[in-house]
Every structure is written in C-alpha cells, then in structure tokens.
Amino acid sequence: MSDWQSAPCAKKHKEFLQQVIAILMDSTFESVSRENPVLRWREPEHLQDIIKFKLQDQPQAQDSLLKAAAQIIKYSVKTGHPYFMNQLFSGLDPYGLAGQWLTDALNSSVYTYEVAPVLTLMEKTVITKLLSMFYKEDNGSSIGDGLFCPGGSFANGTAINLARFSYRRKSKSGKKIPSSNLVLFASEDAHYSILKWGNVCDVEVVLVKTDKYGRMDVSDLKIKILEEQKRGNYPFAVAATAGTTVLGAFDPLIEIADICQEFDMWLHVDAAWGGGLIFSKKHSGLLRGIQRADSILFNPHKLLAVPQQCSVLLTKHDTILKEAHSIHVPYLFQKDKFYPKDLDLGNKYLQCGRRPDVLKFWFMWQAKGTSGFEKHVDHLMTLSVLFKEEIKKREGFKLVTDSCFINVCFWFIPPSLRDQNSVCNYTKRLNEVAPRLKEKMTKRGSLMINYQPLHEKPNFFRFVIQNSGVDKQDILYVFDELENLGECL
C-alpha cells in the first residue's frame, strides 16, 4: 500500500523515525571522531553506483530509505570533524544541532505572529540584543532594526538595496536618479556577492585597491569617488569588509566612515566572517568604528559555529526596512488583526516564506551564555596564533602575509623546491603544489584545507577554524600531515 499522506502515523512511522534518529545520533559522535576520516572519497561514477540517485515512480520501502540515510551520511563530508578546515564554517555544536532539529520539527515560517508566536518574540529578542552590541548608545538605549537572511550574500544584496533606497529618498534635487549612474565602492578583496548584487540592483561597482595585508586603501577610495563625481555619476555607498574571505583583513572602518560622512554616502560593513569578534572583550577592537555603519552583515554560522545557515543584517535606521520593503498585502498583513501589527515581522522582509534561523542561535546562546561565545572566540584566536608560530618554526612553510585574525595563509614548499626560488619556473611549480596536496588529502580523507591564488600570488593554503573542539595537537597534526603528503612532490 502506498504511503502517500503527509501526516505522521504512530503505527506506520514511529519505529522508522526512531531508527532515523538512531542513525543521526550515531553519526553525531562518529563524524567528529579523529579515528574516522573527514570524508570517504569516491569518484562520481562510483558514488552513483553506491547511492541510487535516480527517482522512482513507485515508493521505496522504509528499509531502503534507512539504508540511503546511512549511505548519505557515510559518504558526505563531515564538516564537524576537527580536520575540516576548508571553509568559513565548521564544527558540530550539540546545542546548535538540537536547535536545528527543533527548527525542522516545527517546520514554521516567520512572517506573521499568529503562525509563529514563540519564534517571533525570539527573533525580536535576538535582534535587539545584537543591535545593543554593535550599535552601543551611551544612554543604553537600543537603536535600529534587523533581519535574518538566507546567507551573507543575500544580506549584502539587501544592504545595497537599502543604500540605493536611502540615496534616492534624500536626493536634494528631487529628481529620479538612473540606477546606471549610481556607484558603489568595495575593496578588490571584498566578497564576490557585492559584484553579483551590483548587477542585480543595476548599480556600478568600483573596486578599490588594497594594501599588502588586504585592507582597503582609503586614499584610493577617495580618489575613485572624486573621479566618479567628475564623470557625472552618483557615489552612494561603500561596502567595507571586516574579515575578508581569503586574508581575513579588516578594512579601516573609522577612516572609511569619515569619507562616507564627508560625501554623504551609506556605509555597509560586511562582517559576515569577523562579526563574531563582538563577543570578545579581548579581540573586539578589530571592529573599531563598526558602530558608524549604516548597515552591518554578521553570520553567526561562521565564527560562532551556529549550524548553517544563520545570517543577520542590522541597520541603525529604525524604520528603513519597513519603508523600503513593506507591501501591506491583505491576505497576510490585515489591518484589523486582534494583536499589534508590528508583531508581523514579514512585512519588512524581502522574503515571504522564511525558516526561523534564529532558533538554533538562541538555543546555543542560552546554553553557552554570552561568556561561552567569548571563550569560544578567544580559543579560536589562540589557535590561530599557535598556527602562525608553528609556520615560523618549520622548514618548508612560509607565510603569505601576516594576519590579525583567524586566517593564516601560507605556502608549503616541498623538499624538491626548497632553495630553488631562483629558477625560472619556480612560481609555476609552486603554484602546482597546493592543488596536488589538496587532491591527496581529500582522497585519503585525512584533512580538508582550502587553497587559492590571490592577485599575483601563486596558490597557497588558507587555515581557518571555527570549531572550538580543535586543540593544539590538531594544529600539529595539520603540519605533520602536509609534510607527509608533500614529501615526494
């Protein structure tokens, strides 16, 4: 008999769901064990033989689904593993995971209070707290507003749209400004989503030079603003970065804010990666000046290791989200509701249906407290320092540039290339090292650490870490594994 109805039935589904939960529970602990690989690599053709991806006309038995669940976990990358250092997210926080399970079990959407009363109040509470941390008022009052977004890229796009809306609204001439004449400035190391959203919003993006540490050159910024004004264009916003993707650089926010104030421009700060430092009294100084930003992007799923995805856009302007986004459709936001209309959060969002990404963040925050997040961040920063110190000790490792943040970018130079930096094809040969090492570690399942070129620099590795379950021995393991894999290159 076909099991086609979308409703749980204890007789048909309780044992099945219990078995799924057992698989998930076992995976939670096995996937972070140092005794197990980060991934079990299989070529695509082999993987398609193992897991039957093809969709069937007839329903599959529960035993078949349980087998598929186990295989999906077995052959997927274990992003909570201590040796997964590949992206700007990692770790498997037990409280975040519990919050994620709660989120999926509720299967709610946060647009009206009537369908998500608990989650609405939860979201308002978290946004208010974050605003008080990023936009500190001397009198202790809270200013601004915020949104949860489906990823940092979407948050950057929303910020660009807010900046465009704000600029047009305050245009002194009152005339409509063509989008094609609006110019946004970002550093050449800014996240690529800025360029994408420039296309979506039909604004020109001008890239500003960076210094050797990857920070925006404020002199070049001012020169480029003046150049665009001479061309008859309208410089309306700057997108600064607090923690660039590759080098982990922090743009000089105070100087950039001064320029934005001088030219009456919107300042957006992409702190998707670095924003978590706001929880650390010791390291939050890297965010100095961020309170002057008109909008701030912060991704708790990055530095704080909240499960994917959890992205927040904050603005110091109390009403701009509603002014820019609100469409009072009567089938959702009726004017004659029996509760206050401001509890219907969906009216200020670009999205309609929306996952309650706040729940896992709130659940983790309750479990750890603000002090727990602070200890987490401080531990990661300590590991970064240890990593840099180890590079300086070991032959064959060389820093690309010094960093004040988590990112440690370095070259591994195999024995065959040491003392060969004067040969004519040295750079080409060095450029081939990281891809070959990445292939070896991935197929072995022993380590995942990303590499990339940058500007004129050949391929190098980028150490990043968000998993506070990692310790000093794991740091040493990374070096030992790279040396073992690279010995014969």
Side-chain angles (χ1 to χ4, degrees):
M1 182 177 176
S2 177
D3 188 7
W4 56 270
Q5 292 178 310
S6 297
C9 168
K11 185 176 180 181
K12 290 191 290 184
H13 303 124
K14 187 173 184 179
E15 183 179 354
F16 168 72
L17 290 175
Q18 286 174 336
Q19 289 176 296
V20 171
I21 290 169
I23 291 171
L24 293 174
M25 193 66 68
D26 289 343
S27 169
T28 297
F29 300 99
E30 291 174 1
S31 66
V32 301
S33 170
R34 292 166 177 82
E35 304 301 316
N36 294 323
V38 181
L39 77 160
R40 293 173 173 86
W41 174 264
R42 298 294 185 273
E43 297 295 337
E45 298 80 8
H46 189 187
L47 198 56
Q48 288 175 335
D49 289 336
I50 297 170
I51 301 174
K52 306 305 178 185
F53 291 101
K54 185 178 180 181
L55 299 173
Q56 307 293 323
D57 290 334
Q58 298 303 317
Q60 302 299 297
Q62 289 183 353
D63 286 347
S64 177
L65 295 175
L66 291 170
K67 181 181 178 182
Q71 289 174 328
I72 289 167
I73 291 172
K74 182 176 180 179
Y75 296 105
S76 292
V77 175
K78 309 305 184 292
T79 59
H81 198 288
Y83 305 150
F84 178 83
M85 302 166 180
N86 207 64
Q87 252 70 47
L88 300 185
F89 70 91
S90 67
L92 183 61
D93 187 90
Y95 301 107
L97 181 61
Q100 186 89 310
W101 287 345
L102 278 170
T103 300
D104 288 341
L106 290 173
N107 191 33
S108 189
S109 184
V110 193
Y111 37 49
T112 62
Y113 180 78
E114 63 194 272
V115 298
V118 174
L119 300 170
T120 296
L121 298 180
M122 188 180 292
E123 187 168 298
K124 287 173 71 70
T125 299
V126 171
I127 291 289
T128 300
K129 178 63 175 178
L130 290 174
L131 286 169
S132 72
M133 295 170 73
F134 281 96
Y135 292 114
K136 294 178 181 176
E137 291 287 281
D138 294 336
N139 60 6
S141 62
S142 176
I143 64 167
D145 201 355
L147 305 169
F148 278 82
C149 296
S153 294
F154 191 93
N156 275 334
T158 304
I160 292 171
N161 187 55
L162 291 177
R164 183 177 63 169
F165 173 84
S166 175
Y167 187 81
R168 285 176 166 168
R169 183 176 59 178
K170 68 186 180 184
S171 175
K172 293 179 181 178
S173 64
K175 65 181 180 180
K176 186 174 178 64
I177 301 169
S179 292
S180 56
N181 288 102
L182 292 178
V183 183
L184 167 76
F185 302 85
S187 89
E188 58 186 354
D189 288 352
H191 194 263
Y192 70 95
S193 61
I194 300 295
L195 290 168
K196 285 191 173 187
W197 280 99
N199 289 331
V200 173
C201 294
D202 192 24
V203 301
E204 182 182 354
V205 178
V206 172
L207 298 181
V208 180
K209 294 177 184 176
T210 54
D211 64 16
K212 66 179 181 179
Y213 300 109
R215 301 172 302 194
M216 184 186 290
D217 182 334
V218 292
S219 298
D220 190 53
L221 171 62
K222 193 163 186 177
I223 289 169
K224 283 184 164 63
I225 291 172
L226 293 171
E227 287 175 348
E228 292 302 321
Q229 285 183 334
K230 287 179 182 178
R231 293 189 180 106
N233 293 327
Y234 301 91
F236 77 105
V238 176
T241 310
T244 57
T245 303
V246 179
L247 296 181
F250 285 71
D251 289 337
L253 300 182
I254 293 176
E255 292 90 336
I256 295 172
D258 289 341
I259 290 175
C260 287
Q261 183 175 330
E262 178 183 351
F263 290 95
D264 195 19
M265 299 167 67
W266 182 283
L267 173 57
H268 171 62
V269 177
D270 178 351
W273 178 213
L277 292 176
I278 200 72
F279 284 84
S280 170
K281 291 187 285 289
K282 184 177 180 181
H283 299 291
S284 59
L286 286 170
L287 297 170
R288 206 165 50 94
I290 199 169
Q291 72 278 3
R292 295 179 63 184
D294 293 282
S295 55
I296 301 167
L297 157 60
F298 163 48
N299 280 1
H301 73 239
K302 292 192 173 178
L303 195 61
L304 299 186
V306 175
Q308 289 270 25
Q309 65 192 9
C310 190
S311 302
V312 180
L313 178 67
L314 305 172
T315 174
K316 67 180 179 183
H317 304 285
D318 293 324
T319 60
I320 194 169
L321 293 173
K322 291 180 181 178
E323 292 168 353
H325 299 160
S326 291
I327 304 294
H328 300 280
V329 292
Y331 52 80
L332 269 182
F333 309 117
Q334 300 92 341
K335 294 181 180 180
D336 52 357
K337 285 192 172 181
F338 58 93
Y339 56 83
K341 293 191 295 292
D342 63 351
L343 290 174
D344 285 349
L345 303 181
N347 210 15
K348 67 181 181 180
Y349 276 82
L350 287 173
Q351 303 149 265
C352 182
R354 181 170 61 85
R355 281 172 57 85
D357 290 327
V358 65
L359 204 164
K360 56 209 172 191
F361 186 22
W362 180 88
F363 210 77
M364 280 180 68
W365 205 330
Q366 293 286 17
K368 299 171 183 292
T370 306
S371 62
F373 278 134
E374 180 176 32
K375 291 173 183 175
H376 167 89
V377 170
D378 289 348
H379 178 69
L380 299 178
M381 292 291 280
T382 298
L383 291 178
S384 177
V385 171
L386 288 172
F387 201 95
K388 281 187 282 190
E389 290 175 349
E390 195 65 23
I391 283 178
K392 295 171 184 176
K393 292 178 187 177
R394 298 213 183 196
E395 186 181 8
F397 291 87
K398 181 182 177 183
L399 281 171
V400 173
T401 186
D402 202 3
S403 170
C404 59
F405 191 37
I406 302 290
N407 308 45
V408 183
C409 296
F410 65 96
W411 287 289
F412 172 72
I413 306 168
S416 62
L417 279 182
R418 293 171 197 170
D419 303 321
Q420 299 290 316
N421 57 334
S422 60
V423 299
C424 61
N425 64 344
Y426 175 79
T427 300
K428 179 179 180 295
R429 292 171 66 189
L430 181 60
N431 192 61
E432 296 169 351
V433 170
R436 291 176 65 186
L437 276 179
K438 180 61 178 287
E439 180 182 1
K440 293 177 77 170
M441 71 175 72
T442 301
K443 290 183 173 179
R444 185 173 174 176
S446 59
L447 176 66
M448 286 193 74
I449 183 166
N450 206 9
Y451 74 89
Q452 60 283 303
L454 185 66
H455 307 310
E456 76 287 351
K457 296 179 176 67
N459 282 319
F460 56 85
F461 286 110
R462 178 197 61 175
F463 166 84
V464 285
I465 188 75
Q466 307 83 31
N467 184 350
S468 50
V470 172
D471 57 26
K472 182 178 180 180
Q473 293 306 310
D474 297 318
I475 298 299
L476 298 178
Y477 167 86
V478 173
F479 286 93
D480 292 342
E481 184 64 10
L482 287 173
E483 287 175 337
N484 291 334
L485 294 172
E487 185 178 4
C488 299
L489 286 182

